[in-house]
């Protein structure tokens, strides 16, 4: 009964865009498009991770202070829709 390993997955959200960080791996930043976050790309990335790590259910949102509340809620909704129900929030860098 071998358990598939879990990752430490974070989505780092800044006012310019976001990036997905996994154990030992940082994906390129996904910039905002016309002032909006690219949630289609986020879902695609999360679904790829879910396919490789089906038992993974947790993600950490690392949010810079100047990201608006509405956008944070959209990130949380997209994580849940991509089958990551356990979402933790963390403050940003500096």
């Amino acid at each position: 009964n071998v358990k598939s390993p879990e990752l430490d997955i974070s989505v780092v959200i800044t006012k310019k865009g976001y990036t997905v960080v996994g154990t030992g791996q940082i994906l390129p930043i996904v910039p905002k498009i016309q002032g909006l976050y690219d949630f289609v790309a986020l879902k695609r990335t999360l679904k790829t991770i879910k396919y490789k790590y089906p038992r993974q259910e947790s993600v950490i949102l690392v949010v810079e202070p100047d990201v608006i509340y509405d956008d944070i809620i959209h990130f949380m909704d997209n994580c849940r829709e991509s089958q990551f129900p356990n979402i933790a929030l963390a403050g940003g860098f500096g």
Side-chain angles (χ1 to χ4, degrees):
N1 189 8
V2 177
K3 274 184 126 180
S4 64
E6 283 205 11
L7 294 174
D8 289 326
I9 301 171
S10 299
V11 179
V12 180
I13 308 164
T14 73
K15 65 182 178 181
K16 294 180 181 176
Y18 68 88
T19 188
V20 178
V21 181
T23 305
Q25 201 173 22
I26 300 174
L27 297 176
I29 190 160
V30 178
K32 282 184 169 180
I33 301 170
Q34 297 178 344
L36 301 173
Y37 292 102
D38 187 349
F39 291 114
V40 172
L42 176 66
K43 275 189 175 178
R44 189 170 46 241
T45 300
L46 291 176
K47 286 183 179 189
T48 299
I49 293 168
K50 189 66 174 182
Y51 180 77
K52 290 181 182 176
Y53 300 91
R55 293 174 160 243
Q56 181 74 31
E57 293 188 344
S58 300
V59 65
I60 300 167
L61 299 181
V62 181
V63 184
E64 282 193 342
D66 49 5
V67 174
I68 65 170
Y69 179 77
D70 244 19
D71 287 333
I72 297 168
I73 297 303
H74 279 98
F75 274 95
M76 294 174 79
D77 289 344
N78 277 272
C79 289
R80 280 192 205 96
E81 290 168 13
S82 301
Q83 299 179 7
F84 291 91
N86 303 330
I87 303 165
L89 289 175
F93 320 109

